[in-house]
Amino acid sequence: MTRNSSKGFTLLELLLASIMTFFVVSATGYAILVMTRENISSDVSSDLRFNTDRATDFIADEIRQANFLSTNTANIPTNTGTGIESCAMQTGEQFVMGLAVSSSDVNVVYYTKTPPGGVWLGPSSIYRCGPSLTSSGQLGSGRIRSILVDSISTAAGATTPTCPSGTTKRPTTPTAGFFLCVDNSNQNLVQLRLTAASDELANRGMTTTGGQGRFDSKATYSVVTTAFTRAASDIATLNESGTCTGVTVAVDGRAAIPFSSGMSVVATSSSTMVFSPGTWTKTGNSYTSGGCTINAVF
């Protein structure tokens, strides 16, 4: 009689096979994880660069279309009406600049604040208060507040850089990575600085904080560009000496606006400036009423 016999694996062989399988599966899984993280990082950082570049181009183009640029909060438009929102700064908002775009007075304001959440990512964002744009790219009527771009950094590296010699930083202490370096001899010539950071990468542990150094270079993105307004020669800077309280100024018959020392108005040396209240005496480019003297520098 012939006996059939079969030979199986020994316990040692099964153990070795299990260990080898574990290492192969682990290595494959780690490779997939790394590739997935790299793809996510690449996609997010590409979006970050694209959105930041678009926002910078838009802001720079609007500066170039403006009659003048102001960093004086006194020039912020606060009047309201049908379809017209006030641009007055509220809690948590920081004014960066005002522009007189196709206007004799500031009618567009840029500022920073924390985004509302939802699809908008932090830590900060850039808002625009001004006329909406038509389908042809022209300014519409009214004035609305709208978010321009999110993912603006609030890190020290984005807010503390110093401006070049001969320029002044505005705001002086920015709360987010969006500020200007204003030329001291021509305040309508500015260096625009914008730094974006990805909350999504940070939340996924793909930044320095998360300890994954390979993704550090993709977590932030900075843009620096220079822009100047189109009518810088038709600008007057109004500076006071003495005490000037509750004064308004109207230029060439335009609506009166509150005066503040250092403010800019669209004017030439032949423009008519009307200050109120009180009786004003004009001597050259100086206007005096009581203990207040306002000098117009063109």
Side-chain angles (χ1 to χ4, degrees), residues 49-288:
R49 290 170 179 265
F50 177 75
N51 292 331
T52 305
D53 285 337
R54 282 204 345 173
T56 303
D57 290 343
F58 179 87
I59 297 171
D61 284 343
E62 197 149 57
I63 291 175
R64 297 183 185 109
Q65 295 175 36
N67 291 316
F68 73 87
L69 179 151
S70 174
T71 56
N72 192 329
T73 55
N75 290 334
I76 296 175
T78 58
N79 62 303
T80 58
T82 304
I84 300 176
E85 292 189 49
S86 169
C87 294
M89 294 295 97
Q90 302 171 6
T91 302
E93 299 176 347
Q94 184 178 53
F95 171 71
V96 176
M97 67 174 170
L99 300 172
V101 183
S102 301
S103 170
S104 299
D105 302 310
V106 168
N107 63 334
V108 173
V109 170
Y110 282 94
Y111 60 100
T112 57
K113 67 177 292 188
T114 302
V119 298
W120 301 108
L121 301 176
S124 188
S125 56
I126 298 174
Y127 277 74
R128 177 184 181 274
C129 179
S132 59
L133 299 177
T134 65
S135 57
S136 60
Q138 302 300 311
L139 291 182
S141 58
R143 192 191 307 129
I144 62 173
R145 289 172 174 259
S146 56
I147 188 170
L148 179 66
V149 65
D150 60 358
S151 298
I152 302 302
S153 176
T154 56
T159 61
T160 58
T162 56
C163 284
S165 175
T167 66
T168 301
K169 191 174 184 178
R170 292 288 185 270
T172 305
T173 308
T175 58
F178 174 49
F179 62 89
L180 308 176
C181 296
V182 183
D183 190 282
N184 293 338
S185 61
N186 180 1
Q187 67 175 4
N188 293 285
L189 173 62
V190 298
Q191 186 183 85
L192 182 66
R193 295 194 175 193
L194 200 160
T195 300
S198 174
D199 263 2
E200 184 170 351
L201 291 182
N203 292 338
R204 291 176 179 271
M206 298 181 180
T207 64
T208 303
T209 303
Q212 298 294 333
R214 67 172 65 243
F215 303 103
D216 293 352
S217 62
K218 301 177 182 179
T220 61
Y221 179 62
S222 297
V223 179
V224 178
T225 188
T226 299
F228 55 90
T229 63
R230 63 180 180 178
S233 60
D234 298 332
I235 301 297
T237 301
L238 306 182
N239 294 302
E240 73 175 80
S241 60
T243 303
C244 305
T245 304
V247 177
T248 64
V249 57
V251 181
D252 294 334
R254 300 192 295 266
I257 55 177
F259 163 79
S260 177
S261 188
M263 72 184 296
S264 299
V265 293
V266 178
T268 65
S269 57
S270 60
S271 292
T272 300
M273 295 190 191
V274 178
F275 295 88
S276 61
T279 301
W280 294 77
T281 301
K282 183 178 185 298
T283 304
N285 293 324
S286 296
Y287 303 79
T288 303

